[in-house]
Amino acid sequence: MISTFLKTSVVLISILFTFLCNGQTKKENSARNWPNGAQLVISVSMQFETGGQPEGAESPFSGSPLPKGQPDLPAESWFRYGANEGIYRMLDLWKKYNIKVTSHVVGEAAVKYPKIAKAIADGGHEIAAHGISWSNQWNMNYADELAFVKKGIDTVEAITGKRGVGYNANWLRRSPNTLKVLQELGFLYHIDDLSRDEPFITKVNGKNFVVMPYTLRNNDIVNVEGKHWSPDQFLWQLKMEFDQLYEEGATKRRMMSISFHDRIGGTPAMVRAMDSFIKYTKTKKGVVFMRKDDIAKMVLNDPKTPIDNAEEKYNN
Amino acid sequence: MISTFLKTSVVLISILFTFLCNGQTKKENSARNWPNGAQLVISVSMQFETGGQPEGAESPFSGSPLPKGQPDLPAESWFRYGANEGIYRMLDLWKKYNIKVTSHVVGEAAVKYPKIAKAIADGGHEIAAHGISWSNQWNMNYADELAFVKKGIDTVEAITGKRGVGYNANWLRRSPNTLKVLQELGFLYHIDDLSRDEPFITKVNGKNFVVMPYTLRNNDIVNVEGKHWSPDQFLWQLKMEFDQLYEEGATKRRMMSISFHDRIGGTPAMVRAMDSFIKYTKTKKGVVFMRKDDIAKMVLNDPKTPIDNAEEKYNN
Amino acid sequence: MISTFLKTSVVLISILFTFLCNGQTKKENSARNWPNGAQLVISVSMQFETGGQPEGAESPFSGSPLPKGQPDLPAESWFRYGANEGIYRMLDLWKKYNIKVTSHVVGEAAVKYPKIAKAIADGGHEIAAHGISWSNQWNMNYADELAFVKKGIDTVEAITGKRGVGYNANWLRRSPNTLKVLQELGFLYHIDDLSRDEPFITKVNGKNFVVMPYTLRNNDIVNVEGKHWSPDQFLWQLKMEFDQLYEEGATKRRMMSISFHDRIGGTPAMVRAMDSFIKYTKTKKGVVFMRKDDIAKMVLNDPKTPIDNAEEKYNN
Amino acid sequence: MISTFLKTSVVLISILFTFLCNGQTKKENSARNWPNGAQLVISVSMQFETGGQPEGAESPFSGSPLPKGQPDLPAESWFRYGANEGIYRMLDLWKKYNIKVTSHVVGEAAVKYPKIAKAIADGGHEIAAHGISWSNQWNMNYADELAFVKKGIDTVEAITGKRGVGYNANWLRRSPNTLKVLQELGFLYHIDDLSRDEPFITKVNGKNFVVMPYTLRNNDIVNVEGKHWSPDQFLWQLKMEFDQLYEEGATKRRMMSISFHDRIGGTPAMVRAMDSFIKYTKTKKGVVFMRKDDIAKMVLNDPKTPIDNAEEKYNN
């Protein structure tokens, strides 16, 4: 009975999947457009933020906030989950499949949990920047913003030995000066742009700066916390997006971006969804998981990389 | 093991179809009620709006607006996606299946991205009107509304060579004068009505005017952005609606309306959902995808087209 | 090929439900507890309300209301859908399976669309009461409430020839006097109670009055409009609830209540969901679809019907 | 068409076999880390609260509250469902599978429905504490909080003969004093912490106190009422979480926590979901369902239990 149940369940799921999503197997031998010959590059962002959150930070409890100064103990315990369980569970997953990801590390999170920051770096993952703390950045002047970003990378470097070259602003909201600040600090790229499914070059003070596509679509905090998706919905989103981009990747340079936060993407069902997704991608040739700094270096001076100066009025 | 799975697969495919899609194979030879003999007419609306949005326009970021004058850079990049990726991805899909759609083009979007407007027209798609800009129209007086609509079609015609004969108001909210305005400007039809699953005639100043059914049900902005559906939910909606209307189409004139917006329906997973849906419709006979202007011309003087003057107090 | 699919589907559909819902087939021959020997009684409520809605009534547009007096034309067209398409589509479905339902008819809807009210009655369905108009009833005094309810049944009787004996208040919100009002007017039952999965008797002025279980769980307006479910989710809810209640029905009296509103449940995908659900129930023995007045008559004086006077302080 | 399905099925079967079943059969003989040798401990919380709710308590009706003093009759009937149907349905389910759960009993609910409280105790389930009433606890001073908790356990003990040793605060929101209060009253553990997937020890006034992991992820009130999930989504969440934790359980101590409330988890479709889930867990070896008091006793003095004093500033 049970074995029948399992077999039929599995077959049913496979059929369901075929039913909804067939057609993605064409053109596997077409021209490839990434310098490394990939048909599709996938990059995972693993945000490590827990411990750096301010009082009242967004959580399942923040909708009915307690009076200022009153500790919200279950909310605080919810955040600690990211440090106790979430990051380590994800690290185990990346290791299982030998995938290297980009971790956006909030400075104060690394200060609070240095072992975790070091474990991320020791796993071969990119240590990227995410500010010194959870704070609005779009409203800072140039000097303050530079200090804010610099303190973040200095702090995290002191702990991990790695200096960030990629940037992610709080809720993506950078200021008009952010790219200039980043360039002054030696950054190669930022990710707070949703305009393309591939990285592009934008000119900042006349020099190349890489804009890496980020995602609200394959983003745990947006869809699971914000939109209240169940983990099976998240998995469908990943697979359907993959199928389309992989097919397009036969003739165009295509990149898929995924975002997982310590306390959300690090929960058991979400890691299970990601595990299933990774397995699914392994059935296709030419799929590569990469760190964003490696992608940035690969495309920075590649003549096939598109140039887009849509924000040039801010970047000169 | 695999062969068992395969055998079971054959059987289970049938169950799956029975499960949610059964019943639609009856009466395939019954009377057909469209002039062209179709059992079901499907029409896709592809809204091209990006570039015309006002500051603070509805986006994943508009729930927590920035102070007036402060550029919301990730929100702007989210809109640009429609121009960089969304419309082109959808154009590729329509081409793959040789489908012609109706594109509702905001005047200012065409001004900002003339190449895209031309690419739509060059693909054989209908260039329909959607106002000169993203603005409330229900609160304009007659003269202002006429100028607003006229400027839109003049502008888009100057760019694409095509003059709109069909209209879609911002969020469907037209004024009591809109149909008279449209008639004065030579329009054949409008779509801002949800009252039927087939086009109908309404009298405007005593003359025939076509009302084309629009949809909130098969509408990306309503369901994916507004209701937070995942793409697999959207696909189920399309298939279940299709199954019912196709079956009804054996004995009645039935039309299915679908709406995709550049930056939402143009994302990879949504285009994958639409691709799967189109494939699914190909398994039935008598399904035709049409532009709305062609539908309007087909029904305008057809005696089987229903007449409905529910809004006659406004239209005389 | 299709016929092979259909033949095998009956046998194997249970496999599909093994996937998520196995186990419901036990005890089919156990004691049955309904007077008519059913294992499960299902009753559908079909609300006919369109045409009676006040300005600004709940619709997909009511979240951003227009100024008072400004007609909301797409919202009005959305309501008309219930009259043009919704009720007729559902009537076709009930006829296809020879199911009789209970229709809660708002008085003003019948006045506006008398043909529809008559078509419901002519189909053999119960004409039940739903007030003369869409208005709060919980805040009326006894005399006003009695006049409100009486005007509703008088009006609908004049149109359909049928006098309601069952009541449904606007959003279920009755006053403390409602049951006494209903008893004075000769009603047999009301449905605005969510406390049991079977009908029960409550004493009103010492006499038996039937309370029929209503549902927020299998309710289109609550789940599809309110909770934003897609139609496949609604179908899962129906099937999973059915599986459990059917199993329990082997040893207890169990009733399943379903609610469909003209403009919501009457859409193509929702009628398709209901069609699939009805087919699914046909695979079990002892499932009966009934009108609520017939159920009320069956249980009113049956000694096995539970008595529950939880609201007795209002009913003496 | 079919051959396409079959071909794709061949490719996908192994992937999707993985999707439901992957990984968790590995290492079944590895080191187990629970004292009782389990690979995964699952504990269900069954909240019995109905009857203790204050006026206007959270319900499907509380979003549009009636004026103070006006009885909200359908809302009250919705709560009564938990007493009439919900708890008994769940008790039947636990009995069917011989599972013992932890029931968090609100004092006033037991007063109102003593038979139900006794039925829970007589079923062999743990009677745990949940306060004397539905009230904020985080804002009480030490003496008031102690009296509030004590009155709850005294009241429930008088009815059931069982004195609670585990605590669950209203919406998890305890005060900084709660653990000291609980220790003074002889409690062994509390559950209002989300930071780990296994129980841990925290020091309270220097003595061991057990913190049992609770869940917002497998929680009916959070996901079904709050997030509007359909029951199939809830079932996917349970299965995907189970698959991951079970696999991890081969090498680590892992616990899965599930929460069902009388009027929500006790509905037919949710009990059907839980029934399917329990069946699913039976396909794996080493899965044990336990009461939380038994778990607390098992880990309290076990040297492998982690110690975490993250809140030590409050507990000395």
Side-chain angles (χ1 to χ4, degrees):
Chain A
M1 180 61 188
I2 289 306
S3 64
T4 302
F5 164 63
L6 284 177
K7 280 181 204 167
T8 51
S9 296
V10 166
V11 172
L12 186 78
I13 288 297
S14 69
I15 295 164
L16 185 70
F17 187 74
T18 302
F19 174 57
L20 286 172
C21 305
N22 54 13
Q24 69 280 18
T25 56
K26 294 174 188 171
K27 303 185 197 168
E28 282 186 10
N29 299 317
S30 304
R32 281 168 173 74
N33 293 288
W34 285 93
N36 64 356
Q39 179 156 346
L40 182 64
V41 170
I42 303 179
S43 184
V44 177
S45 284
M46 178 175 72
Q47 271 84 356
F48 175 38
E49 302 173 333
T50 280
Q53 75 276 4
E55 187 182 329
E58 196 175 35
S59 84
F61 299 88
S62 53
S64 55
L66 294 183
K68 209 168 158 60
Q70 177 81 24
D72 194 339
L73 298 173
E76 292 177 14
S77 79
W78 182 81
F79 277 105
R80 285 200 299 274
Y81 187 89
N84 291 338
E85 302 277 0
I87 292 286
Y88 289 116
R89 178 174 285 124
M90 288 192 276
L91 287 175
D92 284 348
L93 182 69
W94 314 139
K95 189 173 180 185
K96 178 178 174 184
Y97 291 103
N98 194 27
I99 286 173
K100 304 304 177 195
V101 307
T102 294
S103 188
H104 309 271
V105 178
V106 170
E108 291 178 1
V111 170
K112 177 135 188 163
Y113 298 106
K115 272 191 194 168
I116 296 176
K118 277 184 262 190
I120 297 169
D122 291 350
H125 305 290
E126 178 189 357
I127 298 291
H130 200 18
I132 180 63
S133 64
W134 290 32
S135 303
N136 284 336
Q137 182 167 341
W138 54 263
N139 55 357
M140 292 180 183
N141 64 34
Y142 192 98
D144 287 347
E145 188 171 5
L146 190 139
F148 177 87
V149 175
K150 184 171 187 307
K151 188 171 177 190
I153 49 175
D154 288 349
T155 300
V156 175
E157 186 183 18
I159 292 165
T160 65
K162 304 291 179 186
R163 190 165 187 84
V165 298
Y167 200 73
N168 174 208
N170 190 268
W171 274 108
L172 294 80
R173 278 180 157 164
R174 52 199 159 89
S175 83
N177 291 323
T178 302
L179 271 55
K180 287 178 284 189
V181 164
L182 295 175
Q183 192 189 58
E184 181 174 340
L185 289 166
F187 280 80
L188 278 180
Y189 74 92
H190 84 108
I191 68 166
D192 298 317
D193 186 286
L194 303 159
S195 69
R196 293 185 182 271
D197 292 319
E198 64 187 313
F200 60 89
I201 299 294
T202 203
K203 296 287 179 183
V204 178
N205 289 323
K207 285 182 285 185
N208 281 3
F209 192 82
V210 179
V211 183
M212 199 63 66
Y214 193 49
T215 180
L216 302 182
R217 303 189 305 260
N218 310 315
N219 186 316
D220 63 343
I221 202 168
V222 170
N223 288 323
V224 172
E225 284 301 309
K227 297 193 174 183
H228 297 168
W229 283 8
S230 46
D232 53 308
Q233 289 183 285
F234 198 84
L235 180 52
W236 277 116
Q237 165 63 31
L238 292 184
K239 287 184 170 176
M240 293 175 79
E241 172 131 346
F242 172 84
D243 285 344
Q244 181 67 24
L245 290 176
Y246 182 79
E247 185 174 295
E248 294 178 8
T251 54
K252 284 190 240 186
R253 186 183 288 182
R254 302 278 78 183
M255 177 175 157
M256 180 171 175
S257 184
I258 303 174
S259 169
F260 267 44
H261 293 70
D262 47 36
R263 62 220 171 270
I264 304 166
T267 56
M270 287 295 285
V271 164
R272 176 64 33 176
M274 182 66 100
D275 189 309
S276 293
F277 173 67
I278 296 170
K279 276 207 187 71
Y280 181 62
T281 67
K282 298 293 184 196
T283 66
K284 305 289 176 196
K285 292 180 188 169
V287 179
V288 186
F289 285 80
M290 293 178 73
R291 293 163 43 147
K292 289 182 180 62
D293 56 349
D294 290 333
I295 299 171
K297 288 170 199 159
M298 180 168 71
V299 302
L300 180 61
N301 295 305
D302 183 79
K304 285 188 179 174
T305 304
I307 296 173
D308 181 340
N309 291 311
E311 297 178 359
E312 65 183 337
K313 68 177 164 178
Y314 305 119
N315 295 330
N316 289 317
Chain B
M1 194 64 166
I2 289 300
S3 67
T4 304
F5 282 169
L6 281 178
K7 282 178 208 165
T8 321
S9 294
V10 177
V11 176
L12 283 169
I13 284 162
S14 68
I15 300 164
L16 189 73
F17 276 84
T18 301
F19 168 50
L20 282 176
C21 312
N22 51 14
Q24 70 277 21
T25 56
K26 294 174 189 171
K27 302 184 198 169
E28 282 188 8
N29 299 318
S30 305
R32 280 168 174 74
N33 293 288
W34 285 93
N36 63 357
Q39 179 157 346
L40 182 63
V41 170
I42 303 178
S43 184
V44 178
S45 285
M46 178 175 72
Q47 271 83 356
F48 174 38
E49 302 172 334
T50 281
Q53 76 275 5
E55 188 182 329
E58 196 176 34
S59 83
F61 298 88
S62 52
S64 54
L66 294 185
K68 210 170 157 59
Q70 176 81 25
D72 193 339
L73 298 172
E76 292 177 14
S77 79
W78 181 80
F79 278 105
R80 284 199 300 275
Y81 187 88
N84 291 338
E85 302 278 359
I87 292 286
Y88 290 115
R89 178 174 286 125
M90 288 192 276
L91 287 175
D92 285 349
L93 181 69
W94 314 139
K95 191 173 179 185
K96 178 177 174 183
Y97 291 103
N98 194 26
I99 286 172
K100 304 304 176 195
V101 306
T102 293
S103 188
H104 308 271
V105 179
V106 169
E108 291 177 1
V111 170
K112 177 133 188 163
Y113 298 105
K115 273 191 194 169
I116 295 177
K118 278 184 261 189
I120 297 170
D122 291 349
H125 304 290
E126 178 189 357
I127 298 292
H130 201 17
I132 179 63
S133 64
W134 289 31
S135 303
N136 284 337
Q137 182 168 340
W138 54 264
N139 54 357
M140 293 181 183
N141 65 34
Y142 192 98
D144 288 348
E145 188 172 4
L146 190 138
F148 177 87
V149 176
K150 185 171 187 304
K151 188 170 177 192
I153 49 175
D154 287 350
T155 300
V156 175
E157 185 183 19
I159 292 165
T160 66
K162 304 291 180 186
R163 190 165 186 83
V165 297
Y167 200 73
N168 175 208
N170 189 267
W171 274 107
L172 294 80
R173 278 181 157 164
R174 52 199 159 89
S175 84
N177 292 323
T178 302
L179 271 55
K180 287 178 284 190
V181 163
L182 294 175
Q183 192 189 57
E184 181 174 339
L185 289 167
F187 280 80
L188 278 179
Y189 74 92
H190 85 109
I191 67 166
D192 298 318
D193 186 286
L194 303 160
S195 70
R196 293 184 182 272
D197 292 320
E198 63 187 313
F200 61 90
I201 299 295
T202 203
K203 295 287 178 182
V204 178
N205 289 322
K207 285 183 285 187
N208 282 4
F209 191 82
V210 179
V211 183
M212 199 64 65
Y214 193 49
T215 180
L216 302 182
R217 303 189 305 260
N218 310 315
N219 186 316
D220 62 344
I221 201 168
V222 170
N223 289 323
V224 172
E225 285 301 310
K227 297 193 174 183
H228 296 168
W229 284 8
S230 46
D232 53 307
Q233 289 182 285
F234 198 85
L235 181 52
W236 277 117
Q237 166 63 32
L238 292 184
K239 288 184 170 176
M240 292 175 80
E241 172 131 346
F242 173 83
D243 285 344
Q244 181 66 25
L245 290 176
Y246 182 79
E247 184 173 296
E248 294 178 8
T251 53
K252 284 190 240 186
R253 185 182 289 182
R254 301 279 79 182
M255 177 174 156
M256 180 171 175
S257 184
I258 303 172
S259 169
F260 267 45
H261 293 70
D262 47 35
R263 61 220 172 273
I264 304 165
T267 55
M270 286 295 285
V271 164
R272 175 62 35 177
M274 182 65 100
D275 190 309
S276 294
F277 174 67
I278 296 170
K279 275 206 190 72
Y280 182 63
T281 68
K282 298 293 182 196
T283 65
K284 305 291 173 194
K285 292 180 188 169
V287 179
V288 186
F289 284 81
M290 293 179 72
R291 294 163 43 147
K292 290 182 179 62
D293 56 350
D294 291 334
I295 299 171
K297 288 170 199 160
M298 181 167 71
V299 303
L300 180 61
N301 295 306
D302 182 79
K304 286 187 177 172
T305 305
I307 296 174
D308 181 338
N309 290 312
E311 298 177 0
E312 65 182 336
K313 68 176 164 178
Y314 305 120
N315 295 330
N316 290 317
Chain C
M1 200 62 168
I2 290 297
S3 65
T4 304
F5 285 171
L6 289 177
K7 279 179 212 166
T8 53
S9 70
V10 175
V11 176
L12 286 160
I13 194 164
S14 61
I15 295 171
L16 184 71
F17 284 87
T18 299
F19 169 53
L20 279 177
C21 307
N22 52 5
Q24 70 278 18
T25 56
K26 293 174 187 170
K27 302 186 198 165
E28 281 187 12
N29 299 317
S30 303
R32 281 168 174 73
N33 292 288
W34 285 94
N36 63 357
Q39 179 157 346
L40 181 64
V41 170
I42 304 179
S43 185
V44 178
S45 284
M46 178 175 72
Q47 271 83 359
F48 175 38
E49 302 174 333
T50 281
Q53 75 276 4
E55 188 181 329
E58 196 176 34
S59 82
F61 298 89
S62 53
S64 54
L66 294 184
K68 210 169 158 61
Q70 177 81 23
D72 193 339
L73 298 172
E76 292 178 12
S77 79
W78 182 80
F79 278 105
R80 284 199 300 275
Y81 186 88
N84 291 338
E85 303 277 0
I87 292 286
Y88 289 116
R89 178 174 286 126
M90 288 192 277
L91 287 175
D92 285 348
L93 181 70
W94 314 139
K95 190 172 180 186
K96 177 177 174 184
Y97 292 103
N98 193 27
I99 286 173
K100 304 304 177 196
V101 306
T102 293
S103 188
H104 309 272
V105 178
V106 169
E108 291 177 1
V111 170
K112 176 133 188 165
Y113 298 106
K115 273 191 194 168
I116 295 176
K118 278 184 262 189
I120 296 169
D122 291 349
H125 304 290
E126 177 189 358
I127 298 292
H130 201 17
I132 180 64
S133 64
W134 290 31
S135 303
N136 285 336
Q137 182 169 337
W138 54 263
N139 54 357
M140 292 182 183
N141 64 33
Y142 192 98
D144 288 348
E145 187 171 6
L146 190 138
F148 177 87
V149 176
K150 184 172 187 307
K151 188 170 177 192
I153 49 175
D154 288 349
T155 299
V156 175
E157 185 183 19
I159 291 165
T160 66
K162 304 290 179 186
R163 191 164 185 84
V165 298
Y167 200 73
N168 175 208
N170 189 267
W171 272 108
L172 294 81
R173 277 181 156 164
R174 51 200 160 87
S175 84
N177 292 322
T178 301
L179 270 55
K180 288 178 283 190
V181 164
L182 294 176
Q183 192 189 59
E184 181 175 339
L185 289 168
F187 280 79
L188 280 180
Y189 74 92
H190 85 108
I191 68 167
D192 298 317
D193 187 284
L194 302 160
S195 69
R196 291 185 183 271
D197 292 319
E198 64 187 313
F200 61 91
I201 299 295
T202 203
K203 296 287 179 184
V204 178
N205 289 323
K207 286 182 286 186
N208 281 4
F209 192 82
V210 180
V211 183
M212 199 62 67
Y214 193 49
T215 180
L216 302 181
R217 303 189 304 260
N218 310 314
N219 186 316
D220 61 344
I221 202 168
V222 170
N223 289 323
V224 172
E225 284 302 310
K227 295 193 173 183
H228 297 167
W229 283 8
S230 46
D232 53 308
Q233 290 182 284
F234 197 85
L235 180 52
W236 276 117
Q237 166 63 32
L238 292 183
K239 288 184 168 174
M240 292 175 80
E241 172 131 347
F242 172 84
D243 285 345
Q244 181 67 25
L245 290 176
Y246 182 79
E247 185 174 295
E248 295 178 8
T251 53
K252 285 190 239 185
R253 187 181 287 182
R254 302 278 78 183
M255 176 174 157
M256 180 172 174
S257 184
I258 304 173
S259 170
F260 266 44
H261 293 71
D262 48 35
R263 62 221 170 272
I264 303 166
T267 55
M270 287 295 285
V271 164
R272 175 65 31 178
M274 182 66 100
D275 190 308
S276 293
F277 173 67
I278 296 170
K279 274 206 190 73
Y280 181 62
T281 68
K282 299 293 182 195
T283 65
K284 305 290 175 194
K285 291 180 189 170
V287 179
V288 186
F289 284 81
M290 294 180 72
R291 294 164 42 147
K292 290 181 179 62
D293 55 351
D294 291 334
I295 299 172
K297 288 170 200 159
M298 181 167 71
V299 303
L300 181 61
N301 296 306
D302 183 79
K304 285 187 178 172
T305 304
I307 296 173
D308 181 339
N309 290 312
E311 297 177 0
E312 65 182 339
K313 68 177 164 177
Y314 306 120
N315 294 331
N316 289 317
Chain D
M1 188 66 187
I2 291 303
S3 65
T4 303
F5 281 144
L6 286 178
K7 278 180 210 167
T8 320
S9 292
V10 173
V11 176
L12 291 172
I13 276 163
S14 59
I15 310 159
L16 288 147
F17 181 83
T18 294
F19 173 55
L20 262 192
C21 313
N22 59 5
Q24 71 271 31
T25 57
K26 292 175 191 170
K27 304 183 196 167
E28 280 187 10
N29 299 317
S30 305
R32 280 170 173 73
N33 293 288
W34 285 95
N36 63 357
Q39 179 157 348
L40 181 64
V41 170
I42 304 179
S43 184
V44 178
S45 284
M46 179 175 71
Q47 270 84 356
F48 174 38
E49 302 173 332
T50 280
Q53 76 276 6
E55 187 182 329
E58 196 176 34
S59 83
F61 298 88
S62 53
S64 54
L66 294 184
K68 210 169 157 60
Q70 176 81 24
D72 193 339
L73 298 173
E76 292 178 13
S77 79
W78 181 81
F79 278 105
R80 285 199 300 274
Y81 186 89
N84 291 338
E85 303 278 0
I87 291 285
Y88 289 116
R89 179 174 284 125
M90 288 191 278
L91 287 176
D92 285 348
L93 181 69
W94 314 139
K95 191 173 179 185
K96 178 177 174 184
Y97 292 103
N98 194 26
I99 285 172
K100 305 304 176 195
V101 307
T102 293
S103 188
H104 309 272
V105 179
V106 169
E108 292 178 0
V111 170
K112 176 134 189 165
Y113 299 105
K115 273 191 195 169
I116 295 177
K118 278 184 263 189
I120 296 169
D122 290 349
H125 304 290
E126 178 189 358
I127 299 291
H130 201 17
I132 180 63
S133 64
W134 290 31
S135 303
N136 284 337
Q137 182 168 339
W138 54 264
N139 55 356
M140 293 180 183
N141 64 34
Y142 192 99
D144 288 347
E145 188 171 4
L146 191 139
F148 177 87
V149 176
K150 185 172 187 307
K151 188 171 177 191
I153 49 174
D154 287 349
T155 300
V156 175
E157 185 183 20
I159 291 165
T160 66
K162 304 291 180 185
R163 191 165 184 83
V165 299
Y167 200 72
N168 174 207
N170 189 266
W171 273 109
L172 294 80
R173 277 180 157 165
R174 51 200 160 87
S175 83
N177 292 322
T178 301
L179 270 56
K180 288 177 284 189
V181 164
L182 295 175
Q183 193 189 59
E184 181 174 340
L185 289 168
F187 280 80
L188 279 179
Y189 73 92
H190 85 107
I191 69 166
D192 299 316
D193 186 285
L194 302 159
S195 70
R196 292 185 182 269
D197 292 320
E198 64 187 313
F200 60 91
I201 300 294
T202 203
K203 296 287 179 183
V204 178
N205 289 322
K207 286 183 286 186
N208 281 4
F209 192 81
V210 179
V211 183
M212 199 63 67
Y214 193 48
T215 180
L216 302 182
R217 302 189 305 260
N218 310 315
N219 186 316
D220 62 344
I221 202 168
V222 170
N223 289 323
V224 172
E225 285 301 309
K227 296 192 174 183
H228 298 167
W229 283 8
S230 47
D232 53 308
Q233 290 183 285
F234 197 85
L235 181 51
W236 275 116
Q237 166 63 30
L238 293 183
K239 286 184 170 175
M240 293 174 80
E241 172 132 346
F242 173 83
D243 285 344
Q244 181 67 24
L245 290 177
Y246 182 79
E247 183 174 298
E248 294 178 8
T251 53
K252 284 190 240 186
R253 186 182 289 181
R254 302 278 78 185
M255 176 174 157
M256 180 171 175
S257 184
I258 303 174
S259 170
F260 267 43
H261 293 71
D262 49 35
R263 61 221 170 271
I264 303 165
T267 56
M270 286 295 284
V271 165
R272 176 64 31 176
M274 181 67 99
D275 190 309
S276 293
F277 173 67
I278 296 170
K279 274 206 190 73
Y280 182 65
T281 68
K282 299 292 183 195
T283 65
K284 305 291 173 195
K285 291 180 188 167
V287 178
V288 186
F289 285 80
M290 293 179 73
R291 294 164 43 147
K292 289 182 180 62
D293 55 351
D294 290 333
I295 299 171
K297 289 168 200 159
M298 180 168 71
V299 303
L300 181 60
N301 296 306
D302 183 79
K304 285 188 177 173
T305 304
I307 297 173
D308 181 339
N309 290 312
E311 297 177 0
E312 65 182 338
K313 68 177 164 178
Y314 306 120
N315 295 330
N316 289 316

